[in-house]
Amino acid sequence: MKPETIGRAIGAASLAFGIADIALGRRLGHGIGAGAEMGGRLFRIAGAREVATGVAGLLAPGSAAPVRWRLAGDAFDLAALAYIAAPANPRRKMALLALGVVAGVALADFLGSRALDKGPDKGLE
């Protein structure tokens, strides 16, 4: 697969995740037990970051930098979700599910970043 295809796919996914986080932030925050207000704010901030990295990825699809920015954001998201998934959270199962989803996305971002680092002239294609 061409590096630009990987970069575009990750950029488009990031843009879609960001728009969803901004639009549904309050619901998502409530759903994982973070509360509609605080959780909504958290999701809107993460959504804005996702939109920014998505646009950057679409503008420079062959660059690993936007994917690395996403990976840094994934680390923040994992830390926040780990905190939210405390045993006292009555919606802990949903928070753990969200944690698993973000861990999967982080893995995809890591692998995408490595593929973009290799580039077409180093045997990726």
Side-chain angles (χ1 to χ4, degrees), residues 69-123:
W69 302 337
R70 270 187 53 84
L71 197 51
D74 294 339
F76 169 79
D77 296 345
L78 288 168
L81 287 168
Y83 177 78
I84 292 167
N89 181 351
R91 296 182 182 262
R92 183 172 193 229
K93 287 182 182 178
M94 292 305 293
L96 289 172
L97 177 64
L99 189 63
V101 169
V102 173
V105 168
L107 177 60
D109 288 343
F110 174 74
L111 294 174
S113 173
R114 286 190 52 178
L116 288 167
D117 280 338
K118 288 182 182 180
D121 56 343
K122 296 182 183 163

Side-chain angles (χ1 to χ4, degrees), residues 12 14 21 36 42 54-55 65 75 90-91 106-107 116 119:
S14 183
D21 285 350
L42 180 67
V55 169
R91 296 182 182 262
L107 177 60
L116 288 167

Side-chain angles (χ1 to χ4, degrees), residues 13-55:
S14 183
L15 192 57
F17 290 146
I19 292 168
D21 285 350
I22 292 168
L24 302 172
R26 290 178 61 84
R27 281 188 183 172
L28 294 170
H30 175 73
I32 64 168
E37 198 59 40
M38 183 187 83
R41 200 172 310 125
L42 180 67
F43 274 97
R44 285 191 301 275
I45 290 168
R49 185 194 71 239
E50 290 279 9
V51 167
T53 57
V55 169

